[in-house]
Amino acid sequence: MVKLLSFPLISVFFLIIFPLANSFDSHSQPHVLKSFNPQIIQAAKSCPYTLVIKTSCSSSSYTRDKISLAFGDSYGNEVYVKRLDDPSSGTFERCSTDTFQINGPCTYDICYLYLLRSGSDGWKPESVKISGRYTKTVNFYYSIFLPNGVWYGFNLCRGVSLSAIM
């Protein structure tokens, strides 16, 4: 009798736990990260990533602000871009979509993304889409003006804090 009950209980456990472990809600609200110092890592292997950043139609008409980005996985692999924008090129104009090809350390499934805005113009990203050769495509939805001078974004890594990663 005990053996008959244990199989259904184990089956239910796996059906509930495993889908949750491999998915996350990137529609969570972004938040300020008070202490974050992105790592400049020289990886033995470099991987290509495509970033597609959509600027909200309710953003400032353009920004000259410095925009930095950091994303990574729950294993401590992190990609950091010190400055994404080029103020002379019209990057991050209202209602625009900008695509960046970058290289960085290889990651597993990306579960955190933070943006840093430095300047006085203001900027409201709508979404950031990250895809790579060795990772699943992930979307992060902001739709809020970024505060100035602080890392702002998402940590959707299950059960792992960024302080444990770094």
Side-chain angles (χ1 to χ4, degrees):
M1 182 70 172
V2 173
K3 289 182 181 182
L4 291 175
L5 287 176
S6 64
F7 179 73
L9 289 176
I10 290 172
S11 299
V12 169
F13 173 78
F14 282 108
L15 289 173
I16 292 172
I17 298 302
F18 280 114
L20 293 175
N22 292 325
S23 66
F24 58 84
D25 178 16
S26 61
H27 282 87
S28 300
Q29 292 297 313
H31 61 275
V32 171
L33 188 60
K34 296 188 191 279
S35 61
F36 181 56
N37 188 15
Q39 306 296 310
I40 299 175
I41 300 171
Q42 297 300 321
K45 184 175 181 186
S46 182
C47 288
Y49 298 93
T50 300
L51 307 174
V52 179
I53 301 177
K54 185 173 182 183
T55 297
S56 172
C57 292
S58 60
S59 186
S60 310
S61 58
Y62 66 93
T63 187
R64 295 167 296 189
D65 294 349
K66 174 184 168 187
I67 307 297
S68 303
L69 171 138
F71 65 86
D73 62 24
S74 59
Y75 297 99
N77 302 305
E78 181 177 276
V79 177
Y80 169 61
V81 181
K82 188 172 183 175
R83 183 159 193 171
L84 263 179
D85 59 311
D86 178 1
S88 64
S89 71
T91 308
F92 305 134
E93 290 181 342
R94 180 186 300 145
C95 293
S96 69
T97 300
D98 297 292
T99 302
F100 302 90
Q101 302 295 327
I102 64 169
N103 287 303
C106 298
T107 65
Y108 294 98
D109 290 339
I110 296 164
C111 59
Y112 72 87
L113 166 70
Y114 286 94
L115 297 170
L116 173 66
R117 180 187 69 81
S118 301
S120 59
D121 289 341
W123 179 54
K124 184 178 181 181
E126 186 171 306
S127 63
V128 178
K129 178 179 173 181
I130 305 169
S131 58
R133 184 175 299 154
Y134 305 109
T135 186
K136 293 179 191 173
T137 298
V138 63
N139 291 289
F140 295 91
Y141 299 93
Y142 280 82
S143 294
I144 190 166
F145 279 95
L146 294 183
N148 186 36
V150 293
W151 287 98
Y152 195 72
F154 302 87
N155 178 5
L156 305 172
C157 302
R158 295 281 186 209
V160 178
S161 69
L162 283 181
S163 60
I165 294 171
M166 317 251 160

